[in-house]
C-alpha cells in the first residue's frame, strides 16, 4: 500500500477499513499505470507535437518537436521516465491526459515546469 502512515490513519478515522484502503491504493496504482500507457501511446501516435514550453531558441509561440519516443515507468502512485525528441530529451516526473489530443507533463531539470503538448497547435491556443 502506498499511502503513508498519516494518510492511512486519517482514512481509517473517517471510517475506511484496511480492505478499503488496499482497494483505493490498488485503484491509484492502476490509474497511474493506465495514464503512463496512454501518454506513451500519445507520443507514439504523433511524429510531431507542439508545446507551450518557453524555449529561448524558438521564435514560435508554440514550438514544434519531432518525437522520437516516450519511455515512462510507474511505481505505486509515481510516474517517471524520459521523453526523447529528435535532437534532445528531458526527464519526465509526472503526467496526465487532458483530452484525446492534448497531454501535460512535468518536465525535470533544464525545464522544471509543467508543459502541455498537443498534436495540433490550435489546441494550445
Amino acid at each position: 500500500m502506498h499511502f503513508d502512515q498519516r494518510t492511512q490513519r486519517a482514512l481509517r478515522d473517517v471510517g475506511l477499513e484496511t480492505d478499503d484502503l488496499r482497494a483505493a491504493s490498488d485503484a491509484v496504482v492502476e490509474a497511474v499505470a493506465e495514464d503512463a500507457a496512454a501518454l506513451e501511446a500519445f507520443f507514439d501516435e504523433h511524429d510531431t507535437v507542439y508545446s507551450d514550453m518557453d524555449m529561448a531558441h524558438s521564435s514560435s509561440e508554440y514550438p514544434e518537436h519531432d518525437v522520437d519516443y516516450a519511455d515512462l515507468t510507474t511505481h505505486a502512485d509515481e510516474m517517471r521516465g524520459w521523453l526523447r525528441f529528435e535532437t534532445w530529451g528531458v526527464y519526465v516526473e509526472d503526467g496526465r491526459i487532458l483530452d484525446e489530443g492534448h497531454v501535460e507533463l512535468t518536465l525535470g531539470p533544464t525545464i522544471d515546469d509543467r508543459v502541455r503538448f498537443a498534436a495540433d497547435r490550435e489546441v494550445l491556443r
Side-chain angles (χ1 to χ4, degrees), residues 69 81-92 107-111:
Y69 65 87
W82 189 255
L83 178 58
R84 177 73 185 162
F85 297 112
E86 184 178 37
T87 60
W88 65 285
V90 65
Y91 179 68
V92 176
L107 303 181
T110 69
I111 305 296

Side-chain angles (χ1 to χ4, degrees), residues 17-49:
E17 301 293 327
T18 300
D19 288 343
D20 298 324
L21 293 173
R22 202 167 275 115
S25 178
D26 291 347
V28 169
V29 168
E30 185 176 323
V32 171
E34 288 172 0
D35 281 355
L39 288 163
E40 284 181 338
F42 173 82
F43 288 101
D44 283 347
E45 291 170 12
H46 304 290
D47 293 330
T48 302
V49 294

Side-chain angles (χ1 to χ4, degrees), residues 1-123:
M1 188 173 336
H2 74 271
F3 294 122
D4 64 43
Q5 293 297 322
R6 285 187 198 105
T7 302
Q8 288 180 41
R9 187 172 45 250
L11 292 170
R12 283 191 187 100
D13 288 349
V14 298
L16 293 179
E17 301 293 327
T18 300
D19 288 343
D20 298 324
L21 293 173
R22 202 167 275 115
S25 178
D26 291 347
V28 169
V29 168
E30 185 176 323
V32 171
E34 288 172 0
D35 281 355
L39 288 163
E40 284 181 338
F42 173 82
F43 288 101
D44 283 347
E45 291 170 12
H46 304 290
D47 293 330
T48 302
V49 294
Y50 304 91
S51 76
D52 64 356
M53 190 180 332
D54 187 20
M55 297 182 71
H57 62 275
S58 176
S59 61
S60 175
E61 183 177 4
Y62 301 106
E64 179 177 303
H65 310 281
D66 293 327
V67 177
D68 194 2
Y69 65 87
D71 182 20
L72 303 174
T73 60
T74 64
H75 177 72
D77 64 341
E78 294 180 3
M79 179 189 310
R80 299 190 188 286
W82 189 255
L83 178 58
R84 177 73 185 162
F85 297 112
E86 184 178 37
T87 60
W88 65 285
V90 65
Y91 179 68
V92 176
E93 296 175 342
D94 188 21
R96 65 186 180 139
I97 308 300
L98 299 173
D99 59 43
E100 188 175 314
H102 190 205
V103 301
E104 183 179 60
L105 301 175
T106 299
L107 303 181
T110 69
I111 305 296
D112 290 317
D113 202 2
R114 301 263 320 157
V115 177
R116 294 180 304 140
F117 292 92
D120 184 331
R121 272 192 177 111
E122 293 304 312
V123 173

